[in-house]
Amino acid sequence: MYQSFVPTLRTLMGPGPSDVNPRILTAMARPTIGHLDPEFIRMMDEIKGMLQYAFQTKNELTLPVSAPGSAGMETCFVNLMEPGDKVIVCQNGVFGGRMSENVRRLGGEAVIVEQTWGRAIDPEQLEAALRQHPDAKIVAFVHAETSTGVQSDAQTLCALAKAHDCLSIVDCVTSLGGTEVALDAWGADAAYSGTQKCLSCAPGLSPISLSQRAVETIKSRKTPVSSWFLDLNLVMGYWGEGQTRSYHHTAPVNALYGLHEALVVLHEEGLASSWSRHARNHNALKAGLEAMGLTFVVPEAERLPQLNLVSVPEGVDEASVRKQLLQQYNLEIGAGLGSLAGRVWRIGLMGFASNPKNVLFCVNALEAVLSQYNAPIHRGVATGAVQAAYKA
Ligand SMILES: *Cc1c(COP(=O)(O)O)cnc(C)c1O
């Protein structure tokens, strides 16, 4: 006989999903109502308003796509691009690579601005590419590269795009709620995020926001959007303001209860407080790990507080350490990707999971497992360093 699935309680400190706030799980368990029910429509309007707050934008076209972050990415490309368009993609990790894959599959030409993994996008390199390709239509980049723990300067990159008459597409999946996202101040044209990173919600939705300039681009397309499901002209019939809502697809009702609660939580804490909490916990984690002798890979000014790239000590098999952390302590951390595979761990401190209890737990669990492997670390000093960092 099949039985109910009851997962073990883990602590999620990898690249996402992050620990879901119990308030959000409770919200998701509330009774399902119709997706055209007036009560539900009221909740949708609140979600829009709170997403505008989170993205720091007045963009009318701000809504959650009914699918994970990758669908938000695809929504931006499929609506703004037409076959033959030239798109400059800044690539410094896994997710930039997916952007260029979107461009190619939509029949566009991807011009890649390549950066070493573990470093921020270089604005001068982007500017050179913009000069060399005056016919480019869009600039796309990842604000917070989860594959490497790097944050790029979105304000500068968006301004360069605008100065060269390009639209900008910004991946804010890991930044939203964790570090500052300010679409209007940046002048960004399209941004997408995800629910399972710093919003601490269950995976499966992708908040997006598009500027007036982006909306005009969509309205003046010469070819229809090649995806029926992601066509914003149609999605707007359901999410649009003031119009009679019409059926496009059945909204994931309970998932949206979860997003609503996650945004209420973010609103209660306040954006600035959330960012400074992420920074504080990052500093404490860093103090503990550095006291043990572990090192951070990304240059300090380019580090993401919500995703920490930590080097694996000499002679240690990183995969078995992660396996032991999961088996002995129910603690999940992430592996390195691409050229960083085997050499780094990715430790997430995202949203609800970014707290002093997790920092101390992670540092101590890692010390215990590394000690079992006789790794060359300093023992017995990490806890003190964490505590000192919180007092400072
Ligand atoms: C997680 C992530 C995505 C993809 O989101 P999914 O919800 O897994 O589809 C895209 N970009 C970045 C930077 C991410 O961290």
Side-chain angles (χ1 to χ4, degrees):
M1 263 305 273
Y2 291 117
Q3 290 183 325
S4 303
F5 174 67
V6 182
T8 302
L9 193 61
R10 312 278 202 201
T11 301
L12 302 181
M13 298 181 70
S18 61
D19 282 339
V20 178
N21 186 328
R23 269 179 67 176
I24 294 166
L25 293 175
T26 303
M28 292 176 77
R30 291 186 185 130
T32 304
I33 59 174
H35 69 125
L36 293 169
D37 187 311
E39 273 186 27
F40 190 73
I41 304 272
R42 264 205 308 281
M43 190 207 65
M44 288 166 64
D45 285 338
E46 289 190 1
I47 288 179
K48 269 178 77 169
M50 289 190 288
L51 281 179
Q52 286 168 332
Y53 167 74
F55 277 120
Q56 297 197 82
T57 182
K58 294 196 169 65
N59 287 342
E60 192 53 46
L61 185 49
T62 301
L63 56 87
V65 174
S66 303
S70 307
M73 180 189 290
E74 196 136 348
T75 301
C76 293
F77 283 95
V78 84
N79 281 277
L80 293 179
M81 263 188 70
E82 295 195 62
D85 281 348
K86 190 181 263 193
V87 180
I88 300 181
V89 179
C90 305
Q91 199 168 313
N92 61 343
V94 167
F95 294 102
R98 290 189 178 180
M99 287 176 147
S100 44
E101 190 58 28
N102 267 271
V103 173
R104 283 185 213 104
R105 287 185 185 216
L106 290 167
E109 185 188 338
V111 174
I112 311 296
V113 172
E114 190 87 48
Q115 174 60 286
T116 315
W117 286 34
R119 294 303 309 272
I121 299 299
D122 176 4
E124 284 181 18
Q125 261 180 279
L126 172 61
E127 189 160 29
L130 283 162
R131 285 223 178 87
Q132 207 186 328
H133 300 277
D135 54 337
K137 175 178 169 187
I138 298 170
V139 169
F141 67 92
V142 179
H143 181 219
E145 244 304 347
T146 325
S147 62
T148 61
V150 165
Q151 181 156 290
S152 289
D153 179 354
Q155 176 131 35
T156 301
L157 299 177
C158 287
L160 278 172
K162 188 161 270 176
H164 291 261
D165 216 20
C166 283
L167 294 165
S168 50
I169 297 180
V170 190
D171 180 318
C172 298
V173 175
T174 282
S175 45
L176 195 70
T179 44
E180 179 160 24
V181 171
L183 298 189
D184 289 359
W186 295 346
D189 291 297
Y192 58 91
S193 188
T195 41
Q196 77 278 29
K197 315 257 167 131
C198 295
L199 296 180
S200 292
C201 191
L205 294 172
S206 178
I208 59 166
S209 184
L210 283 88
S211 72
Q212 199 48 45
R213 202 155 71 114
V215 171
E216 280 152 21
T217 305
I218 296 170
K219 286 196 172 139
S220 59
R221 289 179 64 97
K222 292 180 192 69
T223 58
V225 173
S226 64
S227 163
W228 177 84
F229 185 68
L230 300 177
D231 184 344
L232 286 172
N233 292 301
L234 304 176
V235 174
M236 277 300 283
Y238 179 55
W239 276 94
E241 200 84 53
Q243 313 160 18
T244 38
R245 316 272 174 156
S246 56
Y247 169 67
H248 174 255
H249 64 280
T250 309
V253 172
N254 293 57
L256 289 166
Y257 295 166
L259 176 58
H260 183 274
E261 189 68 10
L263 292 167
V264 169
V265 169
L266 181 64
H267 203 262
E268 281 172 4
E269 181 176 21
L271 287 176
S273 305
S274 180
W275 304 329
S276 57
R277 174 171 54 84
H278 282 85
R280 203 164 54 247
N281 291 316
H282 157 77
N283 282 331
L285 180 81
K286 171 165 118 37
L289 296 179
E290 287 182 343
M292 276 164 62
L294 302 181
T295 52
F296 277 60
V297 181
V298 174
E300 195 147 8
E302 298 172 5
R303 277 177 207 160
L304 280 173
Q306 62 272 54
L307 200 284
N308 299 272
L309 203 68
V310 180
S311 63
V312 176
E314 204 64 45
V316 171
D317 172 30
E318 74 81 22
S320 48
V321 171
R322 275 187 298 111
K323 193 170 152 205
Q324 290 305 320
L325 287 172
L326 194 67
Q327 284 182 353
Q328 294 180 37
Y329 299 104
N330 287 312
L331 171 62
E332 180 182 278
I333 65 169
L337 296 175
S339 57
L340 297 163
R343 300 197 287 125
V344 297
W345 289 301
R346 288 183 300 151
I347 302 179
L349 282 171
M350 296 184 180
F352 183 69
S354 177
N355 64 60
K357 179 171 156 247
N358 278 359
V359 169
L360 206 57
F361 170 51
C362 177
V363 164
N364 282 301
L366 200 54
E367 177 170 337
V369 171
L370 286 173
S371 299
Q372 288 164 21
Y373 285 90
N374 291 316
I377 54 161
H378 307 298
R379 300 184 198 177
V381 288
T383 298
V386 169
Q387 286 173 319
Y390 280 121
K391 282 203 196 98

